[in-house]
Amino acid sequence: MSKRIYEHPVLRKVVEGIPNKFGSLKRLQPIATIDTVEIDSIISKYGSPVFILSEKTIRQTYRTAYRAFSTRYPKVQFAWSYKTNYLDAVCRVYHQEGAWAEVVSGFEYEKAIDNGTPGTHIIFNGPDKSDEDLIRAINNKSLIHIDHFDELYSILGLTDKLKERPQVAIRVNMDTGIIPQWDRFGFNYENGEAWNAINRILSSGTIDLIGLHIHIGTYITVSKAYATAVEKLAALANKTFDRFNVSIGYIDIGGGFASQNTLHGAYMPATDTSPSFDDYAHAITTAMIAADFPNNETPMLILETGRALIDDAGWLAGTVLANKRLADGKRSMVIDAGVNLMFTAFWYNHEIYPVHESSFQSEPTTIYGPLCMNIDVIRKNIDFPMMNKGDHFVIKRVGAYTMTQWMQFITYRPNIVMIDEKNNVHLVRKAEDKEVFRRQELVPEHL
Ligand SMILES: *Cc1c(COP(=O)(O)O)cnc(C)c1O
C-alpha cells in the first residue's frame, strides 16, 4: 500500500443555515471516463492539455434538436454554424446527419466546399464578403444573406458579368424584446430599412429573393423572442408578396439557443434555467404555423444553432501544475489550460472535475491557467477538493467557440481528439509545434 499523502488541516467558519435551499453541499464526483474511454489514457497518449470530442454526443444532441423541430413543423433544415466549431471532423458529422453549412467568411466557405457540401447547401452570412467570395457563391448557387447596402450594390454590380442569378436573402434586425438589441448586422425592420432593401432587390429584376434571415443574438434564454421575430418576418413576407407577387421560400431564424453552461453571476445553474430544444421549437413553430404566409404556404424553417448543439460534446482534460496560497491565505491551484484555450471562461462558470478522487476535503479555491497574465482565471473561489501537482482534471462543456476562438499565446495549441461511436479515439487536429511557427515566419536578411 502506498503511503497516503499528508493533508494539512484547515479551519473553516461554520455557516449557519446549511443545508441551504438547494440542499446540502454535494461532494464533487470525479469524472474518470468519457464514452467509456479513460481520460488518463488519452492524456498519456495525446499529451496535456487535450481537447476531447464525443461523436456520440454530437449526434445525439443533433437528433434531439432535429426531432424537436421536425415533429412540430413540416419543413425543417439545420445549417451548421462553422464558426462555432469548424474542425472538419466535427462539420462532417453534422453534414452526415443532414445539416447544411452556415459560413461567415471566404475561409469557412472553402472549408464547407472541401467537406463536400453542395454549393446550394451553403448559407453565406456575415458582413465581410469580397467580390471574389460573392462570385464563387453566385456561381455555386449558394444562399447569400446580404448584410448591408454596400454588399447589395456589389452583388448588383456583378450580375451582368455572371450567368447565374444570385440567390439571396436579407438579414433583418429588429426589436424582439432582447437587450442589447443586435442592430449592427443586417437591415432594421422598424425603421423601414429591411423593406427598402427588399424593394431594391426585387425592382432590380436581376436577383432572386428566396428567404428572410435573422440572428437575434446569442445565449437567448427567452424563447418568446423568436416568436416575435417570426411574426415580424412573416409581415415582411406578406408585404413582399402583395407588392411583387414573390413568395419567400424560407425563414432562417439563426442561432442563439443557450447551452447548459452557466453564465457568471447567474443565480441558478443553466441546467435548470436554459430552455430545452422542445421549448425553443414550441415557440418558433407555433409562430410559424400561426403566421399567415401568402397563399397559405409553409416556408422552409432554417436553424443555424451553434453552441447549444456542440457545447456538451467537448471536454478539456489537463494536469494540475501547482497549489499555492494567495496573500490572504486563500487557496489557489494552477492548471495547464487557461483562457488561451477557453476564451469562454470570461463569461461561463465552466464545470471542472478531478479525474480521480483526490481528497475528501474541499476548500474555497481559485483556479488559474498557466499564462503569465493576471486575467487567466478559470474559476474564482469555488468549493473544490484538494488536488496535487500531476493530478488530472477535466472541464465539461467546452465544445462551442473554444476550438475556433483559442489564442496562440505563450504556448502551443494542443491536440484535439474525437471518440467515435465505437469508442475509438482519433486525433482530429494535431498540436502545434515550433515547425508551425518556422513555416509562417520570415527573418529579414540583416538579422
Ligand atoms: C454565430 C452565429 C450563429 C450561431 O450562433 P449560436 O449562438 O452559437 O447558436 C448562427 N448564425 C449566425 C449568423 C451567426 O453569426
Side-chain angles (χ1 to χ4, degrees):
M1 203 179 112
S2 64
K3 198 172 151 209
R4 290 193 58 194
I5 293 163
Y6 170 76
E7 287 177 22
H8 70 83
V10 282
L11 288 176
R12 290 186 65 182
K13 190 167 139 192
V14 176
V15 184
E16 243 182 294
I18 283 181
N20 68 16
K21 66 185 204 183
F22 302 119
S24 48
L25 213 61
K26 285 189 204 72
R27 269 243 316 283
L28 215 51
Q29 290 299 321
I31 296 178
T33 60
I34 297 169
D35 294 351
T36 76
V37 182
E38 298 278 346
I39 293 170
D40 287 345
S41 72
I42 294 177
I43 289 179
S44 70
K45 182 149 183 214
Y46 297 98
S48 177
V50 57
F51 276 105
I52 303 163
L53 288 155
S54 161
E55 182 181 339
K56 197 187 290 170
T57 307
I58 296 177
R59 289 187 191 273
Q60 281 172 357
T61 311
Y62 181 85
R63 287 172 195 175
T64 304
Y66 183 74
R67 199 182 315 115
F69 283 88
S70 61
T71 51
R72 291 174 168 88
Y73 192 76
K75 284 183 251 170
V76 173
Q77 181 61 54
F78 276 77
W80 173 239
S81 159
Y82 264 49
K83 77 170 187 293
T84 309
N85 189 319
Y86 43 56
L87 284 168
D88 290 336
V90 167
C91 296
R92 283 177 196 229
V93 174
Y94 286 113
H95 295 325
Q96 270 189 5
E97 291 289 329
W100 293 358
E102 185 273 322
V103 305
V104 291
S105 67
F107 158 65
E108 290 186 1
Y109 191 98
E110 280 167 10
K111 265 187 161 277
I113 292 285
D114 289 349
N115 283 325
T117 318
T120 50
H121 291 178
I122 302 177
I123 294 172
F124 198 175
N125 282 322
D128 176 13
K129 306 180 188 84
S130 66
D131 278 5
E132 196 190 1
D133 293 334
L134 287 170
I135 290 167
R136 183 174 47 190
I138 294 167
N139 286 335
N140 288 339
K141 300 200 197 72
S142 299
L143 286 51
I144 301 171
H145 289 184
I146 302 174
D147 185 74
H148 44 71
F149 281 112
D150 284 319
E151 183 181 342
L152 172 55
Y153 303 145
S154 300
I155 294 172
L156 285 171
L158 291 168
T159 48
D160 42 328
K161 298 188 209 97
L162 299 171
K163 277 203 318 285
E164 301 293 342
R165 284 172 69 88
Q167 305 294 299
V168 309
I170 56 163
R171 177 160 175 176
V172 180
N173 70 66
M174 61 177 67
D175 178 10
T176 57
I178 295 298
I179 296 167
Q181 189 182 326
W182 281 18
D183 61 359
R184 60 157 289 192
F185 301 108
F187 303 91
N188 185 254
Y189 174 80
E190 284 84 8
N191 72 6
E193 244 198 359
W195 179 233
N196 181 0
I198 291 172
N199 278 290
R200 282 169 194 257
I201 289 167
L202 288 174
S203 54
S204 76
T206 54
I207 301 181
D208 293 331
L209 181 75
I210 57 170
L212 294 173
H213 172 232
I214 187 165
H215 174 63
I216 55 180
T218 195
Y219 206 97
I220 304 294
T221 52
V222 185
S223 54
K224 221 175 112 246
Y226 290 97
T228 308
V230 167
E231 285 158 19
K232 291 185 178 178
L233 292 181
L236 269 184
N238 272 299
K239 235 170 137 177
T240 304
F241 185 79
D242 290 346
R243 173 135 185 207
F244 297 99
N245 202 26
V246 166
S247 305
I248 296 297
Y250 64 85
I251 297 289
D252 180 342
I253 206 72
F257 300 164
S259 75
Q260 307 281 302
N261 260 313
T262 305
L263 294 175
H264 287 178
Y267 188 56
M268 304 272 283
T271 43
D272 292 344
T273 56
S274 288
S276 65
F277 287 118
D278 281 315
D279 296 331
Y280 289 116
H282 179 77
I284 293 169
T285 59
T286 305
M288 285 291 287
I289 287 166
D292 282 325
F293 287 105
N295 291 333
N296 294 323
E297 280 172 24
T298 42
M300 184 197 279
L301 170 63
I302 298 182
L303 297 126
E304 304 171 346
T305 313
R307 70 174 76 242
L309 284 180
I310 187 88
D311 232 2
D312 275 7
W315 306 72
L316 180 59
T319 308
V320 174
L321 299 177
N323 279 294
K324 64 200 287 189
R325 293 276 157 192
L326 301 175
D328 61 0
K330 285 222 179 87
R331 180 171 166 237
S332 77
M333 189 171 101
V334 188
I335 60 175
D336 65 355
V339 293
N340 52 328
L341 304 181
M342 278 172 296
F343 204 68
T344 48
F346 289 130
W347 51 88
Y348 284 151
N349 292 332
H350 277 300
E351 284 177 34
I352 173 165
Y353 297 85
V355 169
H356 298 289
E357 192 90 66
S358 52
S359 163
F360 292 102
Q361 169 177 302
S362 67
E363 195 185 331
T365 304
T366 294
I367 301 175
Y368 292 109
L371 307 177
C372 292
M373 203 166 110
N374 205 33
I375 56 168
D376 189 21
V377 180
I378 298 305
R379 290 303 302 273
K380 241 190 157 97
N381 219 18
I382 54 166
D383 210 57
F384 202 75
M386 185 75 187
M387 288 179 70
N388 293 298
K389 176 180 159 69
D391 287 351
H392 293 157
F393 66 85
V394 64
I395 298 174
K396 246 181 157 170
R397 299 194 186 98
V398 294
Y401 297 104
T402 49
M403 291 160 238
T404 49
Q405 287 190 318
W406 52 359
M407 286 180 280
Q408 190 279 309
F409 180 54
I410 297 182
T411 184
Y412 303 123
R413 284 182 275 215
N415 279 320
I416 305 177
V417 300
M418 182 184 274
I419 305 174
D420 70 18
E421 290 187 289
K422 297 192 176 108
N423 304 330
N424 299 310
V425 181
H426 306 264
L427 183 63
V428 295
R429 192 181 191 276
K430 284 196 286 193
E432 291 166 355
D433 58 18
K434 66 174 187 289
E435 284 313 314
V436 172
F437 294 87
R438 282 221 183 110
R439 225 176 12 247
Q440 293 308 110
E441 288 188 36
L442 303 164
V443 180
E445 240 171 64
H446 69 282
L447 300 176

